[in-house]
């Protein structure tokens, strides 16, 4: 869903109490390092190179692997709704102006 400002996201239609659970994601379906390293196809290779795959690089490599599997990926329903990668050369002038430091 796009918000009023056109940014992809969600809008609360009711008040949300502090510490109120809004969504729960079962641990066994999260893309986290422990689960990535258990992946039967690529987990052991990624584990060997984990020092080089710091921060978000591990997730990026794993995402590329899952995307390459297409509809055979467990994560396919999620992956197919992700926006296409963009490039700053595609930005409008008003968006580029937001990057300027005054």
């Amino acid at each position: 869903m796009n918000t009023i400002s056109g940014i992809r996201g969600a809008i609360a239609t009711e008040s949300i109490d502090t510490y109120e659970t809004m969504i729960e994601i079962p641990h066994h379906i999260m893309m986290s390092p422990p689960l990535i390293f258990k992946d039967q196809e690529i987990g052991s290779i990624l584990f060997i190179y984990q020092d080089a795959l710091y921060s978000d690089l591990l997730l990026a490599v794993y995402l590329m692997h899952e995307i390459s599997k297409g509809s055979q990926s467990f994560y396919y329903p999620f992956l197919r709704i992700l926006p296409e990668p963009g490039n700053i050369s595609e930005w409008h002038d008003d968006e580029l102006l937001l990057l300027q430091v005054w």
Side-chain angles (χ1 to χ4, degrees):
M1 159 182 185
N2 286 338
T3 62
I4 294 169
S5 62
I7 298 172
R8 185 179 155 119
I11 298 172
T13 58
E14 300 175 8
S15 294
I16 301 170
D17 292 332
T18 303
Y19 305 115
E20 178 182 351
T21 301
M22 295 184 295
I23 187 170
E24 291 181 332
I25 301 171
H27 187 263
H28 72 277
I29 65 169
M30 292 177 61
M31 288 186 198
S32 63
L35 295 178
I36 290 172
F37 295 143
K38 289 180 184 177
D39 183 280
Q40 297 294 313
E41 293 178 74
I42 196 171
S44 61
I45 296 167
L46 296 176
F47 184 79
I48 292 169
Y49 295 103
Q50 66 180 308
D51 290 340
L53 297 171
Y54 56 88
S55 189
D56 292 335
L57 290 176
L58 174 64
L59 181 58
V61 170
Y62 189 68
L63 276 170
M64 289 188 298
H65 170 71
E66 288 298 315
I67 289 169
S68 74
K69 292 166 52 175
S71 62
Q72 299 303 308
S73 170
F74 169 79
Y75 297 105
Y76 179 72
F78 166 70
L79 297 173
R80 71 184 182 142
I81 65 168
L82 292 176
E84 289 291 318
N87 187 311
I88 196 168
S89 67
E90 300 167 350
W91 292 18
H92 298 285
D93 288 340
D94 57 330
E95 295 169 317
L96 293 170
L97 284 173
L98 294 173
L99 298 175
Q100 303 302 313
V101 178
W102 299 101

